[in-house]
Amino acid sequence: MDIKKAILYILVVFVLYTIITSPDKAANMVGLGFQGLSDAARGIGSFMTNLVK
């Protein structure tokens, strides 16, 4: 079995297990992930704005 496929399979099983056993915790993790992406995009935007000035 290819190592990438094995890692992907393990990751999918972990995500499904987390969602099934504790959906509130899984939703919180997803929310934190999106908040982190939003903060990163805001920081890049701020950097680019200051770079152009």
Side-chain angles (χ1 to χ4, degrees), residues 20-42:
I20 291 169
T21 58
S22 56
D24 293 335
K25 190 174 181 180
N28 189 26
M29 284 187 218
V30 171
L32 287 174
F34 280 122
Q35 183 175 354
L37 287 174
S38 174
D39 291 345
R42 189 175 301 117

Side-chain angles (χ1 to χ4, degrees), residues 7-25:
I7 291 173
L8 180 63
Y9 178 73
I10 291 169
L11 183 64
V12 167
V13 169
F14 174 73
V15 168
L16 288 175
Y17 174 77
T18 303
I19 291 171
I20 291 169
T21 58
S22 56
D24 293 335
K25 190 174 181 180

